[in-house]
Amino acid sequence: MEWLVSLMGAGLVMVTLRDLFHTLWHPTRHGGLSRLVMTALWRLAQRFRARRRVVGLVGPLAMVTVVGMWAATVVLGWAIVYWPHMPGAFTFSPGSKAAQEPALLDSVYLSLVMVATLGLGDISPGEGWLRLVSPLEALVGFALLTATVSWVLEIYPALTRRRVLAVRLALLRDANPTAQQIDCTAGALLLDSLATEVVRVRIDFTQYAEAYYFHDGEDHSSLAAMVGYAAALAERGQAAGRPDVRLAGDLLAGALQDLAAILDQRFLHTGGAPADIFAAYAADHGRAS
């Protein structure tokens, strides 16, 4: 029975590590506890009256919640591993009152000390297998801290790329280039560069799906509000007289279609045409299409 309880704790740790792995290092996978948490918080925030202010906090709060969930389940899982063997399989420092506490409390305390790599030494494993298992928890704690920092450093550059594209589209919309201005070498280069940026954003939504749950703020920096204008520019390019401009327009239209497919497959699930998907994307982020 003791080993069965310990195996349950080890299973809880493995589930957490699996979710962490798929979130950070294999992000093309669907589902996962972290995605469920972020989706639930996003849907909950949309029910508030002060929707814009609340939704703007979802992304950062969701990341904190997911990291806290990972840490809590790792601590709890390892505590369950220790619990059936506490206090008999452990040694306590002289004068310590830890042995007088409930076994579960001591197990959680030891797990917290190990995952935080504090190494206080007032409770230490006495049996051989526990002396091997306990340092592994310290390694997992270090890996969790490193993974959290890496996650933050990966997400925010992706958000910057998305907002740069949105601002660029907003500036183009304000300039309102005519069909004649598009139908030239500069127009072909413009459409081609926009296609490249759209592809980058599409990859970001695949690699860092959590970025979807970050609100972009004002309309001019919101891709949800601006992506429709990119489609209009692609149509102008496709209708141009120069073959290089038509090719660039086709590239931009293809990139937008691919982006729409990813948004629909991973987040929106409308099953509609790209225009409908972009409208749903704008509505989901509280923007007019």
Side-chain angles (χ1 to χ4, degrees):
M1 185 63 182
E2 291 181 353
W3 287 104
L4 181 60
V5 174
S6 294
L7 287 175
M8 289 175 59
L12 184 60
V13 173
M14 293 305 297
V15 168
T16 304
L17 294 179
R18 180 178 181 272
D19 187 63
L20 189 151
F21 172 79
H22 282 296
T23 300
L24 272 69
W25 296 296
H26 188 207
T28 55
R29 172 184 168 271
H30 294 280
L33 294 175
S34 57
R35 283 286 304 279
L36 292 176
V37 168
M38 289 192 158
T39 303
L41 288 176
W42 180 260
R43 299 303 175 207
L44 180 63
Q46 290 178 328
R47 298 178 179 273
F48 285 89
R49 289 186 177 180
R51 185 175 183 272
R52 287 197 177 185
R53 268 185 292 176
V54 176
V55 169
L57 297 174
V58 168
L61 287 178
M63 289 187 71
V64 171
T65 302
V66 169
V67 171
M69 177 190 70
W70 287 338
T73 50
V74 165
V75 169
L76 180 60
W78 239 283
I80 293 174
V81 172
Y82 301 143
W83 183 27
H85 312 280
M86 183 73 69
F90 294 85
T91 59
F92 299 82
S93 61
S96 173
K97 297 183 179 180
Q100 303 173 11
E101 301 293 337
L104 180 58
L105 180 62
D106 282 342
S107 300
V108 173
Y109 165 74
L110 177 61
S111 183
L112 281 169
V113 169
M114 295 305 299
V115 82
T117 66
L118 293 176
L120 298 180
D122 52 343
I123 304 178
S124 58
E127 293 189 3
W129 71 274
L130 284 171
R131 294 173 65 127
L132 294 175
V133 167
S134 296
L136 287 178
E137 184 177 8
L139 290 176
V140 170
F142 180 76
L144 180 60
L145 175 62
T146 305
T148 301
V149 174
S150 300
W151 197 21
V152 173
L153 294 178
E154 289 171 350
I155 286 290
Y156 281 92
L159 296 176
T160 299
R161 289 188 289 271
R162 191 170 81 195
R163 290 165 182 167
V164 165
L165 175 58
V167 171
R168 190 178 180 197
L169 288 171
L171 293 173
L172 284 169
R173 184 189 62 179
D174 293 340
N176 193 24
T178 63
Q180 291 77 16
Q181 290 174 315
I182 293 291
D183 195 8
C184 63
T185 302
L189 293 174
L190 171 66
L191 296 176
D192 182 70
S193 65
L194 287 175
T196 301
E197 291 186 45
V198 170
V199 169
R200 288 198 186 103
V201 170
R202 178 256 190 235
I203 293 173
D204 286 339
F205 277 128
T206 304
Q207 294 291 329
Y208 316 113
E210 301 79 18
Y212 180 87
Y213 304 105
F214 280 75
H215 198 56
D216 285 330
E218 299 299 326
D219 282 348
H220 70 275
S221 63
S222 171
L223 185 62
M226 293 294 114
V227 70
Y229 186 71
L233 287 174
E235 291 177 0
R236 293 184 193 179
Q238 290 174 307
R242 292 172 59 100
D244 56 338
V245 179
R246 289 199 303 271
L247 176 60
D250 289 339
L251 288 174
L252 179 55
L256 288 168
Q257 186 173 359
D258 196 26
L259 174 61
I262 290 297
L263 287 172
D264 200 46
Q265 178 186 7
R266 296 179 71 89
F267 308 106
L268 298 170
H269 312 294
T270 66
D276 299 324
I277 295 169
F278 289 142
Y281 175 40
D284 199 33
H285 281 254
R287 302 298 183 189
S289 61

